[in-house]
């Protein structure tokens, strides 16, 4: 057992801090997920909206994911892969945080699901180096050529 605290000024480099040390206070203050507005009301931060054709827009916003702060400072356009001719699928828009030494970054992307007569949302990657958080599910039915808002299920605020 040890008592830890921080942060203190370094004298002759006797205090060296890692990113984990800097992110530690987030664990005490907020849980992982999308932030509400500054006054605490629900927001459209990182909400997924239908755009044109097979495109969706992730609204600007911020949150804490894998105990790292993530900011999307402008609306982000993403393209959903073309639908299958005969089978349906469910894709997910996810925030991915990769803390591996070669990446050390967050991204937002469309995670493609498997085609099926009974589709399910794709499994999220969750391990010591990578964690994915689902912002929305998109039902991509066979033969569709554009995404509508009715196809998008908002998953912000859920455990996944």
């Amino acid at each position: 057992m040890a008592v830890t605290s921080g942060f203190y000024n370094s004298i002759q480099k006797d205090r060296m801090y890692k990113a984990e040390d800097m992110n530690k206070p987030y664990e005490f203050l907020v849980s992982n997920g999308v932030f509400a507005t500054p006054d605490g009301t629900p927001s459209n931060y990182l909400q997924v909206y239908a755009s044109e054709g097979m495109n969706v827009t992730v609204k600007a916003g911020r949150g804490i994911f894998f105990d790292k702060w993530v900011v999307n400072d402008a609306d982000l356009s993403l393209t959903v892969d073309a639908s299958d001719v005969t089978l349906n699928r469910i894709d997910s828009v996810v925030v991915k945080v990769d803390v591996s030494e070669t990446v050390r970054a967050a991204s937002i992307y469309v995670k493609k699901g498997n085609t099926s007569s009974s589709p399910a949302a794709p499994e999220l990657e969750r391990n010591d180096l990578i964690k994915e958080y689902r912002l929305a599910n998109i039902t991509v039915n066979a033969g569709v050529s554009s995404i509508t808002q009715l196809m998008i299920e908002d998953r912000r605020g859920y455990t996944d």
Side-chain angles (χ1 to χ4, degrees):
M1 288 285 229
V3 175
T4 59
S5 63
F7 299 101
Y8 302 95
N9 291 334
S10 177
I11 299 172
Q12 298 177 357
K13 297 186 180 186
D14 68 337
R15 300 285 190 271
M16 302 298 287
Y17 297 105
K18 298 179 184 177
E20 291 81 20
D21 299 324
M22 302 299 283
N23 289 319
K24 192 70 161 167
Y26 296 140
E27 292 178 32
F28 311 134
L29 300 174
V30 295
S31 60
N32 287 299
V34 177
F35 287 159
T37 62
D39 64 359
T41 59
S43 71
N44 69 350
Y45 289 170
L46 302 179
Q47 189 168 358
V48 179
Y49 288 96
S51 189
E52 294 184 18
M54 295 298 285
N55 295 312
V56 296
T57 298
V58 180
K59 298 299 287 181
R62 59 196 77 141
I64 297 289
F65 301 95
F66 203 0
D67 299 324
K68 308 291 186 215
W69 57 267
V70 176
V71 174
N72 177 37
D73 64 2
D75 290 356
L76 175 66
S77 181
L78 300 173
T79 301
V80 177
D81 284 353
S83 66
D84 189 73
V85 177
T86 57
L87 294 173
N88 303 330
R89 74 170 191 271
I90 298 174
D91 294 348
S92 294
V93 176
V94 301
V95 174
K96 178 180 181 178
V97 178
D98 185 334
V99 299
S100 65
E101 287 187 15
T102 57
V103 177
R104 292 173 290 146
S107 59
I108 300 174
Y109 75 103
V110 177
K111 185 168 189 161
K112 187 175 179 179
N114 295 318
T115 56
S116 171
S117 56
S118 299
E123 292 290 323
L124 297 175
E125 188 171 0
R126 296 262 173 106
N127 59 53
D128 290 344
L129 297 176
I130 296 173
K131 291 212 186 324
E132 293 178 325
Y133 299 84
R134 199 178 321 267
L135 297 176
N137 285 330
I138 304 168
T139 301
V140 184
N141 290 323
V144 301
S145 59
S146 65
I147 303 297
T148 66
Q149 197 61 39
L150 291 175
M151 298 174 177
I152 299 173
E153 176 193 11
D154 188 9
R155 297 296 299 172
R156 298 169 308 140
Y158 287 81
T159 58
D160 58 348

